[in-house]
């Protein structure tokens, strides 16, 4: 796009500030800026005026789940089915590692964090041990690793330096997640340099569209992958491509499934798997009406008790059908470094918005979702904070409880 077209586009969206330094730039930098602006999704900005869409809509009801008892009873059958699918190359895994991990306050990718006490062991290493343990029971499956523009180089280098943790390199596919522009509290898009628009990762809900945009749909087709197990980087106890989970999902006939744990209290900060107008939906803790969060069944159990732990299975054909569905954008209020009066400023306090879609919102587009209960102490040790709840300390304690040498 040339300067004139860019100028009129910006006028249309009231974003002319992006050309503020244009006249000062070299020819090359001018080109970079015009290219950046051409790629911007300006439509995203109107979301700053919208209310959260997730909890709106029809009547919420608790979901049913494959309980721990059901799993125990059918464990062999589910496991065998899962192993068969893994042996037929029908399952792949997707590690979501594009987050910024601000709460942990670690400057490198979260997966590089050394969680060891008596030895050095990174989160990536722990996760790769899980991957290898399942691959040893079946065969190596494709592992897609989503990074961000900020942490991709460090992540890829770390895997290389660690010899891919002994996993076949050809089975690992890195890709960078897509971005959205970030703006100030009035909706004006920031510049990150005089010639660059400030673009930030588009949230973990962008995992499948980013994978397809990165050209990796071809790998899924070539390998014949029918299911993807999506998981976060920070749960150091989770099972990856758990055969029983895969088998139970396949045999249920559902298009997706979520590992869930019983909430430990109505206030616990996890999304809850529910039904809304007969469709599965995950309601985030801050969007759950208080009276429903506290509601109990006659046996005293919380009615809305199944909290998600960011470990899902998605059927690829359904993902392909729904990839164009518009996931709602969630606003994240953040302290965003940007150019002001010609200089880079790094505010201490939140000064603008990032736009993120969330993996939890994909569930309702899948039409059906099996809630698969797991034992919290065995499969849920999130590393979100430095200390306190869901922290390095609690995760270390749980790893030791499970006999894992750290
Ligand atoms: P979190 O919601 O914990 O966000 O991500 P975060 O950015 O890692 O951490 P904080 O909130 O700044 O402390 C849950 C999972 O989703 C991934 C993260 O890497 C983590 O595995 N994620 C999050 C992405 O892959 N991309 C994103 O844009 C956001």
């Amino acid at each position: 796009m040339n300067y004139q077209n860019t100028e009129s586009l910006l006028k249309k969206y009231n974003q002319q500030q992006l050309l503020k330094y244009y006249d000062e730039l070299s020819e090359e930098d001018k080109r970079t800026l015009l290219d950046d602006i051409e790629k911007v999704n300006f439509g995203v900005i109107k979301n700053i005026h919208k209310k959260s869409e997730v909890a709106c809509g029809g009547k919420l009801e608790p979901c049913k789940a494959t309980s721990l008892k059901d799993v125990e009873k059918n464990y062999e059958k589910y496991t065998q089915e899962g192993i068969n699918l893994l042996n037929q190359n029908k399952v792949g895994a997707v590690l979501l590692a594009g987050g910024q991990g601000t709460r942990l306050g670690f400057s490198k990718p979260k997966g590089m964090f050394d969680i060891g006490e008596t030895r050095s062991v990174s989160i990536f290493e722990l996760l790769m041990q899980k991957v290898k343990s399942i691959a040893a029971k079946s065969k190596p499956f494709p592992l897609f690793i989503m990074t961000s523009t900020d942490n991709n180089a460090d992540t890829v280098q770390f895997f290389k330096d660690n010899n891919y943790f002994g996993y076949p390199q050809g089975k690992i596919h890195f890709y960078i997640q897509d971005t959205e522009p970030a703006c100030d509290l009035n909706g004006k898009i920031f510049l990150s340099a005089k010639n660059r628009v400030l673009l930030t990762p588009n949230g973990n809900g962008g995992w499948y569209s980013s994978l397809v945009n990165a050209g990796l749909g071809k790998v899924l087709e070539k390998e014949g992958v029918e299911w993807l197990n999506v998981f976060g980087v920070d749960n150091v106890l989770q099972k990856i491509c758990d055969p029983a989970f895969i088998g139970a999902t396949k045999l249920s006939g559902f298009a997706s499934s979520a590992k869930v744990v019983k909430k430990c209290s109505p206030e616990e900060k996890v999304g809850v798997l529910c039904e809304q107008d007969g469709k599965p939906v995950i309601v985030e803790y801050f969007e759950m009406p208080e009276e429903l969060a506290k509601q109990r069944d006659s046996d005293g159990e919380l009615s809305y008790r199944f909290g998600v732990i960011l470990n899902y299975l998605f059927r690829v054909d359904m993902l392909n059908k729904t990839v164009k569905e518009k996931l709602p954008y969630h606003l994240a209020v953040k302290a965003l470094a940007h150019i002001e009066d010609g200089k880079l400023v790094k505010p201490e306090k939140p000064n603008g918005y990032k736009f993120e879609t969330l993996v939890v919102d994909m569930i309702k587009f899948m039409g059906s979702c099996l809630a698969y209960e797991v034992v919290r102490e065995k499969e849920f040790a999130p590393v979100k904070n430095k200390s306190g709840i869901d922290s390095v300390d609690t995760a270390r304690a749980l790893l030791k409880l499970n006999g894992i040498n750290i």
Side-chain angles (χ1 to χ4, degrees):
M1 226 175 10
N2 64 23
Y3 180 84
Q4 276 73 30
N5 293 345
T6 307
E7 200 183 23
S8 47
L9 178 76
L10 294 181
K11 220 171 177 179
K12 180 173 158 204
Y13 290 104
N14 207 6
Q15 299 285 353
Q16 295 96 313
Q17 76 287 352
L18 294 178
L19 288 174
K20 186 169 174 187
Y21 306 101
Y22 187 80
D23 293 336
E24 296 175 28
L25 301 176
S26 68
E27 283 312 306
E28 196 187 339
D29 286 348
K30 282 180 178 166
R31 190 69 264 148
T32 308
L33 180 61
L34 296 184
D35 285 352
D36 260 15
I37 295 173
E38 188 173 3
K39 286 187 222 125
V40 168
N41 169 16
F42 289 100
V44 79
I45 304 295
K46 63 179 182 299
N47 289 285
I48 67 168
H49 305 298
K50 274 195 191 165
K51 291 248 177 324
S52 167
E53 295 172 29
V54 183
C56 315
K59 188 171 175 272
L60 278 184
E61 278 172 291
C63 72
K64 288 172 208 68
T66 297
S67 68
L68 289 176
K69 255 198 201 148
D70 297 330
V71 175
E72 203 183 327
K73 207 169 111 207
N74 295 296
Y75 190 75
E76 291 308 321
K77 183 171 81 175
Y78 292 161
T79 303
Q80 201 43 57
E81 180 71 19
I83 294 280
N84 288 346
L85 290 169
L86 283 159
N87 278 333
Q88 293 164 32
N89 286 330
K90 292 201 168 153
V91 191
V94 183
L95 165 56
L96 305 178
Q100 289 179 304
T102 44
R103 283 170 285 175
L104 184 61
F106 178 58
S107 63
K108 294 281 178 192
K110 199 187 259 191
M112 287 171 63
F113 185 80
D114 186 352
I115 192 120
E117 271 186 341
T118 59
R119 65 185 185 113
S120 177
V121 54
S122 67
I123 293 181
F124 280 141
E125 182 175 343
L126 287 179
L127 296 178
M128 290 307 292
Q129 274 166 9
K130 301 278 186 173
V131 166
K132 283 190 296 178
S133 70
I134 296 301
K137 287 185 198 152
S138 51
K139 49 158 97 163
F141 47 83
L143 171 64
F144 301 90
I145 302 181
M146 183 170 84
T147 61
S148 70
T149 25
D150 286 345
N151 72 15
N152 181 66
D154 279 339
T155 307
V156 172
Q157 190 61 43
F158 192 68
F159 270 74
K160 202 170 167 198
D161 291 346
N162 284 281
N163 202 16
Y164 301 90
F165 301 97
Y167 201 66
Q169 190 191 336
K171 290 281 175 191
I172 301 183
H173 307 274
F174 295 95
Y175 68 102
I176 300 176
Q177 73 177 94
D178 297 335
T179 53
E180 292 291 357
C183 64
D184 70 13
L185 297 170
N186 298 312
K188 295 282 183 192
I189 298 173
F190 282 130
L191 288 169
S192 63
K194 286 183 179 175
N195 68 330
R196 298 305 310 249
V197 175
L198 177 59
L199 298 169
T200 52
N202 62 352
N204 61 23
W207 71 269
Y208 191 67
S209 52
S210 299
L211 183 147
V212 171
N213 291 342
L216 292 171
K218 279 194 224 107
V219 177
L220 296 178
E221 269 174 43
K222 192 170 147 246
E223 301 247 7
V225 174
E226 292 179 2
W227 292 93
L228 285 171
N229 179 207
V230 178
F231 61 100
V233 71
D234 39 32
N235 179 4
V236 291
L237 262 190
Q238 69 193 315
K239 292 185 186 164
I240 296 156
C241 283
D242 175 1
F245 179 45
I246 297 167
T249 309
K250 167 79 181 171
L251 293 170
S252 73
F254 288 179
S256 67
S257 57
K259 285 204 168 180
V260 295
V261 292
K262 265 188 200 151
K263 278 178 70 173
C264 53
S265 73
E267 293 78 28
E268 192 185 7
K269 292 183 174 173
V270 287
V272 173
L273 190 56
C274 308
E275 279 192 11
Q276 193 170 37
D277 297 333
K279 289 252 169 78
V281 59
I282 295 171
V283 181
E284 283 291 14
Y285 63 91
F286 48 86
E287 288 165 338
M288 188 73 170
E290 199 185 326
E291 69 279 11
L292 295 189
K294 288 187 169 159
Q295 187 180 309
R296 290 190 186 268
D297 292 347
S298 51
D299 58 3
E301 292 241 48
L302 290 172
S303 306
Y304 294 86
R305 56 179 167 275
F306 293 119
V308 288
I309 61 169
L310 220 181
N311 195 310
Y312 303 101
L313 265 173
F314 289 99
R315 217 172 66 204
V316 174
D317 62 339
M318 279 301 281
L319 286 170
N320 287 334
K321 274 187 208 151
T322 60
V323 75
K324 291 205 173 67
E325 300 273 6
K326 280 277 166 257
L327 293 176
Y329 280 96
H330 296 251
L331 296 186
V333 189
K334 298 272 174 177
L336 298 162
H338 65 282
I339 299 291
E340 208 173 288
D341 298 329
K343 292 199 187 71
L344 184 68
V345 292
K346 294 185 178 174
E348 299 272 301
K349 289 198 189 123
N351 63 330
Y353 297 119
K354 277 172 67 176
F355 298 90
E356 297 186 339
T357 58
L358 303 179
V359 66
V360 291
D361 292 329
M362 295 175 81
I363 291 295
K364 76 170 169 214
F365 292 115
M366 302 302 287
S368 56
C369 179
L370 178 80
Y372 181 94
E373 191 184 358
V374 298
V375 180
R376 169 187 284 270
E377 294 73 24
K378 288 193 179 160
E379 295 201 31
F380 190 38
V383 182
K384 296 284 184 194
N385 304 300
K386 265 189 219 154
S387 55
I389 297 170
D390 296 344
S391 67
V392 176
D393 299 338
T394 54
R396 279 185 178 142
L398 282 162
L399 284 167
K400 286 187 279 184
L401 191 74
N402 282 278
I404 297 167
N405 170 25
I406 52 165

